[in-house]
Amino acid sequence: MIRSSFMVPSVRSAALRALNYSPRTELIRAAAKRRSVRLSSLVEELGPAYGTVFTRVDCTSEHGIELLSQSDMFAAEPQGRIIRRDSMAKPERHEIKRLQVLIAGAGTLGENELYGRAIIADGRLVGKYVGPDAMTLTFKEPEAPLSLFAYAFLASPTGVAAIRSTSYGTKILRFRDDLFGSLPIPLADEETIERVAVLARRCVEQRETYARELQAARRVLEDLPEMREAHAMCAERKANVAHWDGPLPTLRAWTYASSGGALGLLKRRWATQVADILKPNGLFHGLLRQRVACESPHGISLLSQRDIFLLRRVPRRIVHPGCDERALFVPRNGILVGSRGQLSEGSLFGRAELGSCFHSQTAITQDILRVLPIEEHLETAYAFMSSLVGLRLLQSTAVGTSIPIMRLDLVRDLPFPELTKKDHASVRESVKRALGARLEADATESEAIRIIEEEVLPAWLA
């Protein structure tokens, strides 16, 4: 982030810190008299649970609710922590409703930080709960074009800067309710507002289609008798004792016992291994080690492990490190697996994502495992690896102590599902529909934000 200095015509008594001002935000405030509306006039509730402190009491999924962290809110597949609902004094204030706007409400002003960034709640998030670091906006008329238009503004780069200008604090910043509610939402003609609203609405619908189709693909696998048995063995994380009569490529007990017997069961039921469905040299880590920051348009975009699994990614900009591009950029027809980190519940280790969801010239961290299946097995491999059983099997390949990493020979040796032609075709079609819906959702949201940045704001500020 470049340091800057500028002058403002007057300093507001409610905001005496430089971080409460930015040149573009001040232009918006100055132009607000022309045609705008205060954010507080559009919302019914502004962060009812924001800043609420409570003690989390963990429990099993059948007895609790799912609490999302800031990163979980932006995840392609949100998976939060299971806690007792009565951990919260007023849990209804934390529950996510469809078309609420969720904003990361605690953090720093780093360019690739989530702090201040917004996402609109679709069916993937509904019924889950947010913690004290999430600012939730409940519009009086969530389906109204103006409400959806306001979301697109808040999600735009200019909107993020405006949101961040309402910050207070030192190390970890938070929002001031009075400054946040006073943010002006620039208005446009009715046709433009409707165009943006249609795009935002389509984005929500397509993200729900993405989740639905992906679950349909996994269901084909999960309905296999052996997969049901394996799921029962590994679903609950607990201490396990395993009897192992196979080869011992490692003496680490974690490899054989962490899946609760699911690894041994599936090895006995399926003759196919992951190695059998890979392209030549189709399993490798990246080579990126050196990172030299730069600014656009120079350099390349780099995604961290966190960003790989988010819908709204916030990449860094770095100088091209000069390493082999195959081990630097996203493989288009491959699977990306988080392969270095912690093994705690909710961590990214072992999670899988499709490379087709990314721009091909995007660099990714060396800690992401690249899996390149033969084309006809790509969708099945992704559906399997991204299932709960697939996650547990991938996690069983971890070696190391403080920061484990996957051992590639153990990954190649993992069992791979054997499907009928009908089931194989069903999985492929569902994954393709899911991918198409996700890409359309990303494109429509990006177009809504582009209209705000390139059509609405220039005309409004002229």
Side-chain angles (χ1 to χ4, degrees), residues 116-138:
R117 301 184 189 277
I119 191 165
I120 192 166
D122 54 71
R124 300 169 308 111
L125 296 162
V126 172
K128 301 178 191 289
Y129 292 72
V130 295
D133 293 337
M135 170 69 79
T136 57
L137 307 182
T138 305

Side-chain angles (χ1 to χ4, degrees), residues 208-376:
E208 291 170 341
T209 300
Y210 159 72
R212 187 167 56 250
E213 292 294 343
L214 192 51
Q215 287 302 317
R218 290 186 187 133
R219 197 174 301 116
V220 174
L221 295 168
E222 291 166 349
D223 284 344
L224 297 173
E226 59 270 32
M227 280 287 281
R228 287 200 296 267
E229 285 185 58
H231 186 277
M233 291 176 172
C234 67
E236 185 181 352
R237 297 300 298 270
K238 59 183 179 180
N240 289 303
V241 176
H243 173 74
W244 186 262
D245 56 2
L248 294 170
T250 171
L251 296 179
R252 182 176 167 86
W254 170 266
T255 303
Y256 314 103
S258 64
S259 64
L263 176 61
L265 169 74
L266 295 179
K267 275 181 169 291
R268 292 191 296 272
R269 299 290 181 86
W270 296 334
T272 307
Q273 297 177 321
V274 168
D276 299 327
I277 58 94
L278 293 178
K279 294 178 180 177
N281 301 316
L283 191 70
F284 57 95
H285 284 101
L287 296 177
L288 176 64
R289 298 294 172 188
Q290 181 182 0
R291 293 172 173 80
V292 179
C294 68
E295 294 181 16
S296 184
H298 306 291
I300 57 175
S301 294
L302 168 67
L303 296 175
S304 66
Q305 276 202 110
R306 178 205 71 179
D307 292 318
I308 293 292
F309 302 98
L310 299 184
L311 283 177
R312 300 285 304 282
R313 306 181 188 102
V314 192
R316 294 171 55 189
R317 200 76 183 173
I318 64 167
V319 174
H320 193 302
C323 62
D324 179 15
E325 294 196 347
R326 182 173 183 265
L328 177 64
F329 293 120
V330 173
R332 290 294 293 168
N333 294 313
I335 300 169
L336 311 179
V337 178
S339 64
R340 190 174 180 86
Q342 302 300 321
L343 292 166
S344 55
E345 201 69 16
S347 70
L348 298 178
F349 191 96
R351 300 202 182 278
E353 183 59 279
L354 271 176
S356 305
C357 297
F358 303 81
H359 190 279
S360 59
Q361 291 301 298
T362 301
I364 53 177
T365 173
Q366 72 277 4
D367 296 329
I368 290 291
L369 180 65
R370 284 76 160 171
V371 183
L372 305 183
I374 299 167
E375 185 175 349
E376 65 181 275

Side-chain angles (χ1 to χ4, degrees), residues 22-34:
S22 71
R24 195 159 178 81
T25 305
E26 289 310 299
L27 284 175
I28 291 173
R29 289 187 183 278
K33 297 176 182 178
R34 299 175 189 172

